[in-house]
Amino acid sequence: MSLDNDLKQRCADQCELCNAEAALATYHLPNSDGQDDRLALCAICTEQAGAPTDVNHLRCLTTSVWSTTPAAQVLSYRLLHELRSETWAQEQLDMAYLEDDIRAWAEAGITTADEHAVVHKDSNGAILAAGDTVTIIKDLNVKGTSFVAKRGTAVRGISLTDNPAHIEGRVNGTRIVILTEFVKKSG
């Protein structure tokens, strides 16, 4: 998408993140909430805005987060947040100052860990939490052992795993992985 006159004048034919004098295109920020969400970005920055992978190119964010253009501040803040595992990005986030309304706009486009959290559900669809007690609903042969986890066995103080189909608990004194489809939440 080509740039309109206002955007061309504002950016002075330079990418609003990295200042490259390459071919520019209009980029619209998601979750703009009625703000002017337009930015003039080069092809590399447009690609990185979708999924930041070129950490070296994105070091330009240390400058662009201080831009006078709110949309540039917002996109810079969001990308720095995505790259916060990099020391320089976290340091920049810690130093960055955004007006309250700009910070709210920036944070509105950040996905939180809770949105990506693994949810464990029992055979009836009840949500399981660490420490819950569950009851085994089917006799289960426990791999690597010679015993069977009998139906009706209560497993207290379960632990959750990264896999939503697995929980961990103690049966007959042995810590085992149990499929959530074979348990129901007690109590």
Side-chain angles (χ1 to χ4, degrees):
M1 181 183 302
S2 64
L3 304 178
D4 63 37
N5 288 335
D6 292 339
L7 197 53
K8 273 185 186 182
Q9 188 175 13
R10 183 179 81 197
C11 74
D13 291 327
Q14 291 183 330
C15 175
E16 292 187 275
L17 290 186
C18 72
N19 294 326
E21 294 182 359
L24 303 175
T26 302
Y27 178 82
H28 291 275
L29 278 169
N31 300 332
S32 63
D33 200 27
Q35 303 275 349
D36 182 3
D37 66 349
R38 301 168 305 136
L39 284 168
L41 300 182
C42 67
I44 296 171
C45 286
T46 299
E47 181 182 327
Q48 296 304 304
T53 55
D54 188 349
V55 176
N56 288 327
H57 181 80
L58 290 176
R59 285 189 178 264
C60 64
L61 299 173
T62 60
T63 304
S64 62
V65 75
W66 299 101
S67 170
T68 57
T69 304
Q73 291 176 330
V74 168
L75 182 56
S76 298
Y77 186 89
R78 289 177 183 175
L79 290 172
L80 285 166
H81 188 271
E82 289 280 324
L83 298 169
R84 69 188 178 280
S85 62
E86 299 285 329
T87 304
W88 65 269
Q90 184 59 54
E91 288 172 356
Q92 193 60 48
L93 270 175
D94 293 342
M95 289 188 311
Y97 173 79
L98 301 176
E99 294 290 337
D100 292 340
D101 58 333
I102 302 298
R103 181 175 296 276
W105 178 18
E107 290 175 350
I110 295 175
T111 55
T112 63
D114 292 342
E115 293 176 28
H116 299 295
V118 176
V119 177
H120 294 75
K121 294 183 179 182
D122 72 1
S123 59
N124 297 324
I127 295 176
L128 300 172
D132 281 349
T133 298
V134 296
T135 304
I136 297 174
I137 61 170
K138 175 183 174 184
D139 288 351
L140 301 173
N141 292 321
V142 180
K143 292 182 181 178
T145 68
S146 59
F147 74 89
V148 174
K150 295 287 188 184
R151 179 177 146 204
T153 301
V155 182
R156 290 175 178 75
I158 64 168
S159 298
L160 305 179
T161 67
D162 291 337
N163 184 337
H166 298 158
I167 59 169
E168 292 182 359
R170 286 200 181 279
V171 175
N172 294 345
T174 304
R175 189 155 189 83
I176 63 172
V177 174
I178 308 168
L179 296 175
T180 56
E181 65 185 286
F182 299 123
V183 298
K184 70 177 180 177
K185 188 173 182 174
S186 300

